[in-house]
């Protein structure tokens, strides 16, 4: 006889998305019962883990794939403005969390670090000049600097300046008040709050989901420690299982998931092992992606703060595996192919030839090739100072379009029409926009209650429903508040 658990809300996966949704619901509906189920033995052990998550605070300050240039060289900043607006929502919720006891010490999960864009060559310098002009006039990007002076470059980025041949011109877009976010630590703090009045089950794997005639869901779960079968009866289910979400959404049978496919991309990073080298660099420096490379493969030399220790990553070096999770299985991709997504998935190969060519070249790269790529950023880098680590899996969304499909480099909320089940697919910007993504889930799935929640949402997120880029006074007020609460730096003009 299977153990039976009845709950109002079932969260699948113990990553940043489920933790954020659980925290929001705990504030909005404190009387609701919440149960969380995670197949691994720890929270944030997949994509939310700090060494698996390359995007530590995506706010479009330095990521050049969010500011593409068109054929005429004009810069499109639409995506950058949207992502920065979303990150401001997350910042406000975290600040509220610190102020109101949802979260603990902020320096355990967020720390100040400059965000920097880096280009070289005459065309690259001109691109950054135009990018700076396009962004710096906007409220959300005020304070961004354009730097093309060699001496200033070397002073600010000594590791990147040492041994550099400045006959190849360089330029930077520099934003002092960026942040490094450890989403593993943040997830654990949020789950500590959620777990005060919820049941968290680790080592429990969701095997199937079936909708009942009354609109509720029955989940079949296996306790991986004991082999015990568990039956969960839930009024609402959120599938925040990272790369594992697609399989579960397919098993649910909801029509909204039909036609979706997934393309897994793995990655490796160089992690610096030399403290003297780590001490020479304090910034997140993003360059330009190789031709055909996916946006998530933009090279970056990235200062990290994990458990109060400063670290340094470079990469990613793209790889490929059929697994949908780092701890997944080699049959993940084949098992995801269904009649409804076969044509969309087959149509991707000819469309994304550049991506496939890039992945093949990356897989063929030697250790010396990887060091040479690193030397574009740090000319005097030597392989002995770096170790290669495997990062988490990313499953990019393949969405059905007509009879074919398109590969999307972003996140997609998939929700059933009656709002009883939702899931999240995709990757970047991912964790950084967890709060607005989960508010979107609430709006889609609880439309009848959402109006009544707005006052509480506005208490947690004072800019709720507003665009900060269009309201400079409110932006500066909230920026100063979040900086104080999260113990970050003040605005230069404050």
């Amino acid at each position: 006889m299977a153990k039976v658990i009845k709950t109002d809300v079932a969260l699948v996966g113990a990553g940043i998305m489920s933790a954020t949704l659980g925290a929001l619901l705990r504030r909005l509906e404190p009387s609701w019962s919440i149960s969380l189920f995670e197949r691994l033995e720890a929270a944030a052990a997949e994509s939310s883990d700090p060494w698996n998550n390359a995007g530590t605070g995506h706010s479009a300050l330095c990521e050049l794939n969010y500011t593409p240039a068109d054929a005429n060289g004009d810069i499109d900043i639409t995506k950058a403005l949207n992502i920065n607006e979303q990150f401001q929502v997350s910042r406000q919720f975290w600040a509220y969390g610190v102020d109101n006891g949802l979260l603990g010490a902020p320096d355990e999960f967020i720390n100040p670090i400059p965000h920097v864009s880096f280009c070289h060559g005459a065309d690259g310098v001109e691109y950054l000049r135009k990018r700076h002009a396009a962004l710096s006039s906007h409220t959300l990007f005020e304070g961004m600097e354009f730097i093309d002076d060699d001496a200033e470059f070397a002073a600010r980025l000594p590791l990147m300046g040492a041994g550099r041949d400045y006959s190849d011109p360089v330029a930077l877009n520099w934003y002092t008040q960026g942040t490094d976010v450890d989403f593993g630590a943040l997830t654990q703090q949020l789950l500590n709050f959620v777990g005060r009045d919820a049941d968290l089950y680790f080592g429990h794997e969701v095997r199937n989901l079936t909708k009942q005639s009354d609109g509720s869901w029955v989940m079949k779960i296996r306790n991986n420690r004991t082999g015990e079968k568990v039956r969960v009866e839930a009024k609402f289910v959120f599938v925040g299982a990272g790369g594992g979400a697609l399989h579960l959404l397919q098993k649910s049978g909801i029509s909204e998931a039909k036609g979706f496919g997934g393309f897994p991309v793995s990655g490796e990073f160089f992690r610096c092992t030399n403290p003297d080298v780590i001490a020479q660099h304090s910034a997140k420096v993003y360059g330009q992606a190789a031709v055909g490379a996916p946006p998530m493969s933009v090279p970056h030399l990235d200062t990290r703060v994990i458990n109060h220790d400063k670290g340094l990553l470079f990469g990613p070096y793209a790889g490929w595996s059929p697994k949908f999770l780092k701890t997944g299985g080699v049959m993940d991709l084949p098992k995801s192919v269904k009649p409804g997504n076969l044509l969309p998935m087959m149509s991707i190969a000819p469309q994304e030839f550049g991506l496939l060519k890039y992945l093949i070249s990356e897989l063929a790269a030697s250790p010396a090739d990887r060091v040479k790529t690193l030397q574009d950023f740090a000319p005097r880098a030597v392989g002995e100072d770096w170790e290669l680590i495997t990062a988490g899996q990313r499953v990019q969304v393949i969405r059905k379009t007509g009879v074919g499909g398109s590969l999307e480099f972003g996140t997609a909320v998939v929700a059933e029409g009656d709002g009883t089940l939702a899931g999240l697919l995709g990757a970047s910007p991912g964790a950084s926009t967890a709060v607005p993504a989960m508010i979107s889930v609430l709006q889609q799935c609880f439309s009848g209650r959402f109006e009544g929640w707005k006052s509480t949402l506005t208490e947690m997120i004072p800019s709720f429903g507003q665009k900060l880029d269009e309201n400079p006074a409110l932006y500066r007020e909230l920026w100063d508040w979040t900086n104080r609460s999260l113990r970050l730096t003040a605005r230069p003009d404050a």
Side-chain angles (χ1 to χ4, degrees), residues 323-342:
K323 295 180 180 182
F324 277 10
L325 292 164
K326 190 174 180 178
T327 58
V330 295
M331 294 302 294
D332 287 350
L333 177 58
K335 286 181 178 178
S336 75
V337 179
K338 308 292 181 185
N341 66 13
L342 179 60

Side-chain angles (χ1 to χ4, degrees), residues 138-161:
H138 283 263
T139 299
L140 294 178
F141 294 88
E142 62 184 16
M144 178 177 283
E145 301 173 74
F146 172 76
I147 297 167
D148 62 353
D149 179 78
D150 299 346
E152 187 66 16
F153 180 101
R156 297 203 187 194
L157 298 171
L159 183 63
M160 294 180 63

Side-chain angles (χ1 to χ4, degrees), residues 17 296 394-397 408-412 425-431 433:
M17 295 298 176
M296 59 186 286
R394 300 291 185 271
V395 180
Q396 306 299 152
V397 174
E408 297 183 358
F409 296 99
T411 52
L425 300 175
S428 178
T433 59

Side-chain angles (χ1 to χ4, degrees), residues 18 29 32 75 97 138 200 244 280 297 312 353 368 429 433 484:
S18 291
E29 294 289 347
W32 285 7
I75 310 298
H138 283 263
L200 311 183
Q280 294 175 50
S297 295
L312 188 59
F353 179 75
T433 59
R484 287 192 306 271

